[in-house]
Structures are given as structure tokens and as C-alpha cells.
Amino acid sequence: MEYKEAKDKFINTWGSLGSLWGINKAMAQIQSLLFISTKPLSMEEIMEELHISRGNTSMNIRQLIDWGIVTKELIPGERKEFFTTEKDVQELARIVAKERSRREIKPVIKVLEEVSTIKDDGTEKTRELIKQTKALHDLAATADSMLNKMVNQKQNWITKSILKFVK
Amino acid sequence: MEYKEAKDKFINTWGSLGSLWGINKAMAQIQSLLFISTKPLSMEEIMEELHISRGNTSMNIRQLIDWGIVTKELIPGERKEFFTTEKDVQELARIVAKERSRREIKPVIKVLEEVSTIKDDGTEKTRELIKQTKALHDLAATADSMLNKMVNQKQNWITKSILKFVK
DNA sequence: ATAAATTTTCAGTAATTACTGAAAATTTAG
DNA sequence: CTAAATTTTCAGTAATTACTGAAAATTTAT
């Protein structure tokens, strides 16, 4: 497999995985492109490379900046803006986990909390609702907390002792 | 908050979280409904409760069965089919993690493997592609393996020592 | 076997989400 | 300042995804 093919394959596959980390395709592809680029890229270069419109590029870059994954790079003597992405996978994972937690998981946990603390009127169905949402709440809260803690261990959290620990 | 309101809130919130575990809204809502039901439900009951069509209900139940989250329940003397979902959150988490891994993460890891092992032609861009996809591959592979292992610890993996361990 | 009950399928439609492209806004250079 | 370069916005459109409803298929009872 040659460079070009490998590159396209990477961008497409990683891009399609966007759903897994909760962002859209174009966004994921722009990030992918920057991730394997050896230098900052301009909007022009990005739209050409991915065959997407100027508007689309602009909107998605902004979102990536909101996420804290991409940053503007000022290049002396250049009028255009250039962009780079966080290159360290660990740090990337940290940011993504944190954002998803904040945007999606935390709000759900809050609702589970609310629902699981309604007044027990003694009926079977209310009891079941309380019991099950409480169980989900505990699972979600603990998983969320774990995820954040793991991903915050700046030093190669993943390669070291945890794996050993979970057997 | 009364039972009805709490129930609807739960079904909607949990349903909208479907995207997070990679299934669509109707599917997530059906599962939610079964999850807090005190008895198996028929297709009829599900479609009425959620205001969705017969076809939609049928298709999504099938998918839930494919995922291994919902099972048909035969009720003596009843002609209709009834359905239940796995009620244990731990087990539910195990199934979901395993399925997502199989359907989405594993295939991506495979591509990352392929891309990161192309021949190094010595150019800077090829080197960068190899370096970065290798890093992603390692991250994804390790995270996937961890997730599966954690979730496979049948005994309350989450509430016990891991949290303590990760500080 | 026949027929009623029930489920599945799927073509058509609706709803949602993503994308384009050009006009408007902003920035930069002279 | 003016004008060129660049970016942003957003109404309109395209693409994707989800849903309906009725016909076809299947199951069950007699």
C-alpha cells in the first residue's frame, strides 16, 4: 500500500468513526488530515484535500476549535489562517472524554438522579422505575468518573499498570 | 414528580442517549420501556406506549434481539409474543461493550494496523502517517482490550477496587 | 385442510442532518 | 481611508436516516 492510499484509508476510516466519539464526518476528517500532516494547513488546503466546500470547512473547523482539539496557527508573512491539531493521542483522548462527559453523560446522569429520587408511592411499577434508574445512575456515574480519572492520568495511564490490574 | 412524568422523562433521556451506545432512538426507547416494566410487553403494548408504528416496532425489536439485549418471552395461553430485556445493568453494559467493540472498534483497529505498517519510504509525510497511526492503533487497541476486560469482570467490577486504584 | 391472529417486509414518505455557494462581514495591506 | 484577501454566515438544497402503513408471509387454532 502506497502513501496516498494509506492516507485516504486512514482519513475515511477514522472519519467514519466520528460517530463513536460524537462528532460528524467532516469534522472527524479534518481532524484526521491535520493529525497526519507534517505542517499546519490552511482552509484552502483542507477543502481541496477533502473535497468539501468553504462553508463546510469553516463551520467544522470552528467546532473543532470549540472542542479544543484544533488551534489556529499564525504563520509570519501569511495572510491566511493555518490550523493544527493536538498531536498527542493521550491528550486527544483526554479532551474528547472530557467534552463528551460534559456535553452528554453528565446531563443524563442528572436526569437519572431526578427520576430515581421520586417519591415511592408503594406501587410495584414505581418501585421498579426507582430501582432500575438508580442502578443505571450508579453505573453511569461510576463509569463517567472512572473514564475521566483514567484519562486524566497524564502519564501513559493505559500502557502501564491498569491492564495488569484488570488481569 | 409523578410516576408518569418520571417514566416519560426516563424513556426520552435514555432514548436520546442511544447515539452514545450506537443505536437509534426507537431502539433505545423500546429497551428503556422494557427496562422499567414489571412484566413482559407485547408488540401492541410497546407501539401504543411509544406511539410508533407496527413496522418500526417490529424492526427495532429484531435489532435488539440481534444485539442480545432483548428476548422473546412465551406466555402460556397467549398467542402474541412478549418481550423482556436484560434487567441487570452490569450484564447490559457487558453486552453493549462487546457488541460495539465487535461492530465498530475492531474493524477500525484493523485498518489502523494496516495503515501503520505500510513500507517506510523515508519521506517525512510517510513517517508522520506511520508514527501517528501507530500511536492511535496502540491507544485504540489498549482501550478496547481494557473496556472488554473491565466489563467482563462479572462481579461488580465498577463499584469495587478499580476506582480506588485509579485514585 | 381453512381462516383468524400476528409478525415481517419494504416501497414510499417524512424528518433529520449535513453541505453548498454566494453574499455579507471581517481582516489586512497599502 | 480604500480595496483586496479571507473568513463567516445562512438560506436553500442534497443526502441520509428513520418511520409508516398496508400487503405479504408466517404462525396458530380448529
Side-chain angles (χ1 to χ4, degrees):
Chain A
M1 186 159 47
E2 288 305 307
Y3 175 75
K4 182 75 169 59
E5 191 193 343
K7 174 188 180 183
D8 291 348
K9 197 163 188 176
F10 169 66
I11 290 173
N12 279 319
T13 308
W14 200 244
S16 72
L17 196 65
S19 68
L20 205 117
W21 44 301
I23 66 177
N24 73 28
K25 206 182 89 190
M27 219 173 131
Q29 288 186 335
I30 293 172
Q31 199 278 329
S32 305
L33 183 61
L34 293 173
F35 189 69
I36 57 169
S37 169
T38 54
K39 57 175 214 316
L41 299 181
S42 67
M43 237 176 63
E44 213 71 33
E45 290 170 306
I46 293 169
M47 37 183 296
E48 270 170 33
E49 189 78 48
L50 301 177
H51 306 105
I52 58 179
S53 72
R54 191 173 294 282
N56 200 7
T57 308
S58 170
M59 290 186 298
N60 284 106
I61 286 179
R62 185 134 70 85
Q63 282 207 75
L64 284 164
I65 292 175
D66 283 348
W67 270 73
I69 291 171
V70 161
T71 45
K72 278 190 189 165
E73 198 83 1
L74 298 176
I75 293 195
E78 282 280 8
R79 193 145 158 181
K80 289 183 201 156
E81 295 175 329
F82 287 76
F83 304 93
T84 47
T85 188
E86 170 61 53
K87 286 267 184 169
D88 178 59
V89 290
Q90 225 85 305
E91 181 61 13
L92 210 50
R94 222 199 94 249
I95 295 172
V96 171
K98 202 171 147 198
E99 280 295 297
R100 287 215 90 179
S101 169
R102 185 177 68 77
R103 294 172 193 233
E104 300 177 70
I105 305 177
K106 290 263 178 359
V108 171
I109 289 175
K110 188 154 162 288
V111 172
L112 289 175
E113 165 81 31
E114 285 169 35
V115 172
S116 69
T117 54
I118 61 168
K119 188 162 141 288
D120 183 353
D121 63 10
T123 63
E124 194 189 0
K125 56 184 194 176
T126 301
R127 293 233 161 127
E128 183 72 5
L129 178 64
I130 292 174
K131 179 177 149 224
Q132 292 297 77
T133 51
K134 210 186 277 291
L136 271 186
H137 175 266
D138 292 351
L139 178 78
T142 319
D144 180 53
S145 145
M146 261 190 75
L147 185 63
N148 276 294
K149 279 179 181 156
M150 281 166 61
V151 116
N152 266 319
Q153 316 248 122
K154 293 269 170 94
Q155 309 293 14
N156 52 346
W157 55 283
I158 221 166
T159 33
K160 286 259 171 71
S161 32
I162 292 178
L163 248 187
K164 188 189 320 165
F165 172 78
V166 283
K167 268 204 314 290
Chain B
M1 188 160 44
E2 288 305 308
Y3 176 75
K4 182 75 169 60
E5 190 192 343
K7 174 187 178 182
D8 290 349
K9 197 162 187 175
F10 169 65
I11 290 174
N12 279 319
T13 309
W14 200 245
S16 72
L17 197 66
S19 68
L20 206 118
W21 44 302
I23 66 177
N24 73 28
K25 206 182 89 191
M27 219 173 132
Q29 289 186 335
I30 293 171
Q31 199 277 330
S32 305
L33 183 61
L34 293 173
F35 190 69
I36 57 169
S37 170
T38 54
K39 57 177 214 314
L41 299 180
S42 68
M43 236 176 64
E44 214 70 33
E45 292 170 304
I46 294 169
M47 35 183 297
E48 270 169 32
E49 189 79 49
L50 301 178
H51 306 105
I52 59 179
S53 72
R54 191 172 293 283
N56 199 6
T57 309
S58 171
M59 289 187 299
N60 283 106
I61 286 179
R62 185 133 68 84
Q63 282 206 74
L64 284 164
I65 292 174
D66 283 349
W67 270 72
I69 291 171
V70 162
T71 46
K72 277 188 190 167
E73 199 83 0
L74 298 175
I75 294 194
E78 282 280 9
R79 194 147 157 180
K80 289 183 199 155
E81 295 175 328
F82 287 76
F83 304 93
T84 48
T85 187
E86 170 61 50
K87 286 265 182 169
D88 178 59
V89 289
Q90 225 85 306
E91 182 62 13
L92 210 52
R94 221 198 95 248
I95 294 172
V96 171
K98 201 171 147 197
E99 278 296 297
R100 287 216 89 177
S101 168
R102 185 177 68 77
R103 294 174 193 233
E104 301 177 71
I105 304 176
K106 289 263 178 358
V108 171
I109 289 175
K110 190 155 161 289
V111 171
L112 289 175
E113 164 81 31
E114 285 170 34
V115 172
S116 69
T117 54
I118 62 169
K119 188 163 141 288
D120 181 354
D121 63 11
T123 62
E124 194 189 1
K125 57 185 192 174
T126 300
R127 292 233 161 125
E128 183 72 5
L129 177 64
I130 292 175
K131 177 177 150 228
Q132 292 297 78
T133 51
K134 208 185 280 290
L136 272 186
H137 175 267
D138 291 352
L139 177 79
T142 318
D144 180 53
S145 145
M146 264 189 73
L147 185 64
N148 275 294
K149 279 179 181 154
M150 282 166 59
V151 116
N152 266 319
Q153 314 249 121
K154 292 269 168 96
Q155 310 293 14
N156 53 347
W157 54 283
I158 221 166
T159 33
K160 287 260 170 71
S161 33
I162 291 179
L163 247 188
K164 188 189 320 165
F165 171 77
V166 283
K167 268 202 313 290

